[in-house]
Amino acid sequence: MSYSSRIFFYGPVGLLLLVVVLYSVFWRVQADTLAVRLDRANGGEVIPGVVFAFAEKSVGGFPFRIDAVLSGVTFSHQAPEGETAWRVEKLALHRLSYGQNRYIFEASGLQSFAQPPVKPGTGPRVLYVTPGLTQASAILVGDRLTRFDLDLIEPQAKDATPGANPTRTLMAARAQLHLLARPDNSIDIAIEIDNARIGAGYAAGGAETVLPLIDARAKLDKADVLDSLRAGTQSVADAVADWRGQMGTIAVSKLTLTWPDAHAELNGQLTLDEQGLLAGTLTSNGAKDGKAPAGLTLAFAKGDIRVASGSALPGRGP
């Protein structure tokens, strides 16, 4: 074999090996950079006012993904009235090693949400959530969150506050949340919950309510006020206060509630009160088939949702 023939034979092989080595170095740099960023963030504020902490981590996914698996994860916010925190046993972050604008998240194990007590001196309110599967994705453009999707498969929730009514439970076959920033200075909101069962402790009238479908479509205006929050440079409380100060609204174009033998479509406009809680009323004009509860309204005030109807709500019971 001549020298030139060996060049043609070994040259492509050598080039392929060089590409593999360079890519391996590239992946390692990406993985090490993420690991360092996670270590620096551990125990500190990821956005103003929100502290992020984890107990253990591992990074892998070679060759095409960067996978970070965290154990004992907590996101918390400390306020004068007490701590608000989300805790999860395991949280995984995935992204393609050659694409840095989309992130996939998965959570597994028990999740808990803690809120300050209703009355000073009492214990915090705690909600346990045990979904079969939790997945979420986030798309960033220019370091700003432009799209967020959350998908919960078979979530089950229970009020774990000491002394709570054991019937304060929530469950569903599937729950989804989708947020999308639009060029017209708005954010589209879509929520869908399939086969929901609201325990007697939460349901109006003290009886379990079955809702085969909850489907909401809404639009949040004045989205530019939330740009700093989307970039992670402003606290949630300050962003919410600024948006409320600009008279921001959430226009609910359609909220569909389906019972086993009836359904209703509501619409209306919601705002935020001084505590950052939803306020406003959604009303129903009745379903076309005439099977909707007469005069159904949902009133949001001070963290509560009050249901009013000229007729009994259907779909209750096992």
Side-chain angles (χ1 to χ4, degrees), residues 100-125:
Q100 302 183 27
N101 66 335
R102 185 177 184 183
Y103 297 83
I104 306 296
F105 303 90
E106 291 182 296
S108 62
L110 176 67
Q111 301 178 40
S112 67
F113 296 85
Q115 293 180 287
V118 176
K119 297 180 180 180
T122 60
R125 293 170 289 166

Side-chain angles (χ1 to χ4, degrees), residues 125-178:
R125 293 170 289 166
V126 181
L127 183 71
Y128 283 168
V129 181
T130 54
L133 178 65
T134 302
Q135 292 183 320
S137 66
I139 297 178
L140 280 67
V141 175
D143 293 331
R144 280 193 175 89
L145 182 64
T146 61
R147 177 165 180 163
F148 178 77
D149 301 280
L150 175 64
D151 193 355
L152 303 176
I153 306 298
E154 297 183 351
Q156 299 184 36
K158 179 180 181 180
D159 190 342
T161 304
N165 185 335
T167 64
R168 288 173 63 86
T169 60
L170 301 167
M171 62 183 66
R174 186 177 185 182
Q176 301 176 69
L177 167 66
H178 306 280

Side-chain angles (χ1 to χ4, degrees), residues 13 31 35 86 179 189 196 242:
V13 176
W86 172 49
L179 305 174
I189 304 172
D242 290 346

Side-chain angles (χ1 to χ4, degrees), residues 16-298:
L16 178 60
L17 290 175
L18 178 61
V19 170
V20 171
V21 171
L22 291 177
Y23 183 80
S24 299
V25 172
F26 169 77
W27 184 91
R28 176 49 59 189
V29 170
Q30 295 283 317
D32 290 346
T33 299
L34 177 60
V36 170
R37 292 181 65 180
L38 287 171
D39 287 336
R40 287 178 178 175
N42 192 12
E45 293 187 345
V46 286
I47 64 173
V50 177
V51 175
F52 164 66
F54 60 87
E56 298 178 346
K57 80 171 191 308
S58 63
V59 178
F62 183 83
F64 300 118
R65 301 194 318 269
I66 303 292
D67 300 329
V69 180
L70 308 178
S71 301
V73 181
T74 299
F75 291 87
S76 61
H77 174 262
Q78 190 68 44
E81 60 272 17
E83 182 186 62
T84 299
W86 172 49
R87 295 178 174 88
V88 58
E89 290 184 18
K90 286 191 176 182
L91 180 66
L93 180 154
H94 313 281
R95 71 170 174 81
L96 295 175
S97 56
Y98 48 85
Q100 302 183 27
N101 66 335
R102 185 177 184 183
Y103 297 83
I104 306 296
F105 303 90
E106 291 182 296
S108 62
L110 176 67
Q111 301 178 40
S112 67
F113 296 85
Q115 293 180 287
V118 176
K119 297 180 180 180
T122 60
R125 293 170 289 166
V126 181
L127 183 71
Y128 283 168
V129 181
T130 54
L133 178 65
T134 302
Q135 292 183 320
S137 66
I139 297 178
L140 280 67
V141 175
D143 293 331
R144 280 193 175 89
L145 182 64
T146 61
R147 177 165 180 163
F148 178 77
D149 301 280
L150 175 64
D151 193 355
L152 303 176
I153 306 298
E154 297 183 351
Q156 299 184 36
K158 179 180 181 180
D159 190 342
T161 304
N165 185 335
T167 64
R168 288 173 63 86
T169 60
L170 301 167
M171 62 183 66
R174 186 177 185 182
Q176 301 176 69
L177 167 66
H178 306 280
L179 305 174
L180 176 63
R182 293 291 189 180
D184 63 354
N185 194 27
S186 68
I187 296 177
D188 287 348
I189 304 172
I191 300 172
E192 182 175 323
I193 303 175
D194 300 317
N195 294 320
R197 300 180 73 93
I198 304 173
Y202 283 119
E208 183 183 70
T209 298
V210 178
L211 289 168
L213 177 65
I214 302 173
D215 190 344
R217 298 292 187 269
K219 185 178 287 288
L220 179 148
D221 65 6
K222 297 181 173 58
D224 59 333
V225 181
L226 304 177
D227 280 351
S228 295
L229 175 62
R230 290 168 52 203
T233 59
Q234 186 180 26
S235 70
V236 175
D238 289 345
V240 168
D242 290 346
W243 183 76
R244 177 179 174 275
Q246 292 294 319
M247 307 299 291
T249 61
I250 300 174
V252 180
S253 57
K254 184 171 69 173
L255 170 60
T256 301
L257 301 176
T258 302
W259 292 269
D261 56 355
H263 75 273
E265 293 184 358
L266 302 92
N267 58 68
Q269 185 169 284
L270 302 176
T271 58
L272 296 179
D273 61 17
E274 295 84 354
Q275 285 74 43
L277 302 173
L278 285 175
T281 301
L282 304 181
T283 60
S284 170
N285 294 323
K288 294 181 180 180
D289 60 8
K291 294 182 179 180
L296 179 65
T297 64
L298 297 180

